[in-house]
Amino acid sequence: MKTIVERIYENSLKYPERIAVICEDEQITYGEIWDKALKLSGYLKENGISKGDKLIAQGVYSVWYVVACYAAHLCGAVFVPVDKNASDEALDNIRGALDASCIIAKQHMDTVRCSILYSELEGICQKAVAPGYSFPDMELCADIMFATGTTGTPKGVVLTHKNISVTALTRVHELDIRPDNIGITFVPLNHVAPMRELYLNGYNGSTMIFLDGILKVKKMFQYIEKYGVTSIYVPPSGITVINQFSSKGLAVFADQIDYVYTASSSMNEPQQVYMRQSLPKSRLYFSYGTSENGTVSLHRYHRDMKDITWGGRPCEGVSVR
């Protein structure tokens, strides 16, 4: 097993021209994402960011957000995604709670050692020289994800490189994701679900598309057609929105969509029925899991149609009691 960022490196050699990520109307190849992440990691090191330091990043819809993530991993820092609209006060509270050393945001902060604007990243990478590199240890903390879960109070969930790699591998294996998969979602980038979509497609050498906002149903359909999307991550609330705001819905792409993956909250019977009717040829999954543990079980409701109330079968390597 390898870290996600090591797989990005390998995929940059194997598929240098393949699109790795599309954020709204920006896109970046595997070759570009590795080159920029490596150069940015060198810049971070020059500015005192090293193993264990916390790097806060606003979850803006830009390929530079992804570059920042892998650059943080490369220099041994901990990536901390936060809401793209987080206020200065909220950012400073998180900085204080984590004793963060770096922030990449839409505005400068004077309270951190290294404050970088997203608008500065392209210039930084154009001037930087790619440094030597080594990949992080599996047991090193990779990310801290702020999740509310069932408590309603934000908590920082610590995820190691092993955790995010195992979760990606589990999904790739359990869902039998194709190397040429093209995925899409519209969940905010600071949430754990889109980060997992980013990592599993990065590990797999496939393409991930991020759209800003659950109400961009029309744009999502345009992107599904334009890029030949083959997989969708959608929370149950998103299924309801698609059904309400589109007359033809997903049925137009019944011959194109390989699978749809749903998680984050319970899925009711009308939502499952709608998906089965819209995509009778697709593989349809509902997942139970946690921010801490990743995917625990999968309900394959395209074939397990007798009982919609259960959490599915445990994934490989998962013990349940």
Short mmCIF file of all heavy atoms in Angstrom, two decimals, residues 22 37 54 121 160 180 295 316:
data_model
loop_
_atom_site.label_atom_id
_atom_site.label_comp_id
_atom_site.label_asym_id
_atom_site.label_seq_id
_atom_site.Cartn_x
_atom_site.Cartn_y
_atom_site.Cartn_z
N ILE A 22 -11.16 18.46 -12.14
CA ILE A 22 -11.85 19.62 -12.72
C ILE A 22 -12.62 20.28 -11.59
O ILE A 22 -13.42 19.63 -10.91
CB ILE A 22 -12.81 19.20 -13.84
CG1 ILE A 22 -12.05 18.55 -15.00
CG2 ILE A 22 -13.60 20.40 -14.36
CD1 ILE A 22 -12.94 17.89 -16.04
N ALA A 37 2.43 20.70 -7.10
CA ALA A 37 2.44 20.30 -5.69
C ALA A 37 3.87 20.19 -5.17
O ALA A 37 4.17 20.59 -4.04
CB ALA A 37 1.70 18.98 -5.51
N LYS A 54 0.46 22.35 10.91
CA LYS A 54 -0.91 22.37 10.40
C LYS A 54 -1.06 23.43 9.32
O LYS A 54 -0.67 24.59 9.51
CB LYS A 54 -1.90 22.66 11.53
CG LYS A 54 -1.71 21.86 12.81
CD LYS A 54 -1.80 20.37 12.58
CE LYS A 54 -1.82 19.60 13.90
NZ LYS A 54 -0.62 19.84 14.74
N LEU A 121 -0.69 31.61 -5.69
CA LEU A 121 -0.11 30.27 -5.85
C LEU A 121 0.49 30.03 -7.23
O LEU A 121 1.55 29.40 -7.36
CB LEU A 121 -1.16 29.20 -5.54
CG LEU A 121 -1.56 29.09 -4.07
CD1 LEU A 121 -2.68 28.08 -3.88
CD2 LEU A 121 -0.36 28.70 -3.22
N THR A 160 -4.76 9.61 9.42
CA THR A 160 -3.38 9.35 9.00
C THR A 160 -3.33 9.06 7.51
O THR A 160 -4.36 8.83 6.87
CB THR A 160 -2.80 8.15 9.77
OG1 THR A 160 -3.56 6.97 9.41
CG2 THR A 160 -2.87 8.35 11.27
N ASP A 180 -10.39 4.36 -16.03
CA ASP A 180 -10.80 5.55 -16.79
C ASP A 180 -12.08 6.17 -16.24
O ASP A 180 -12.78 6.93 -16.93
CB ASP A 180 -10.99 5.19 -18.27
CG ASP A 180 -12.09 4.14 -18.48
OD1 ASP A 180 -12.54 3.53 -17.49
OD2 ASP A 180 -12.48 3.93 -19.65
N THR A 295 -15.35 3.90 4.95
CA THR A 295 -16.49 3.08 4.53
C THR A 295 -16.54 1.80 5.35
O THR A 295 -15.61 1.01 5.35
CB THR A 295 -16.38 2.73 3.04
OG1 THR A 295 -16.26 3.94 2.28
CG2 THR A 295 -17.60 1.96 2.57
N GLU A 316 -14.63 -5.50 2.89
CA GLU A 316 -13.49 -6.36 3.16
C GLU A 316 -12.58 -5.70 4.20
O GLU A 316 -12.24 -4.52 4.09
CB GLU A 316 -12.72 -6.63 1.87
CG GLU A 316 -11.56 -7.58 2.03
CD GLU A 316 -10.86 -7.88 0.71
OE1 GLU A 316 -11.49 -7.67 -0.34
OE2 GLU A 316 -9.70 -8.31 0.75
#
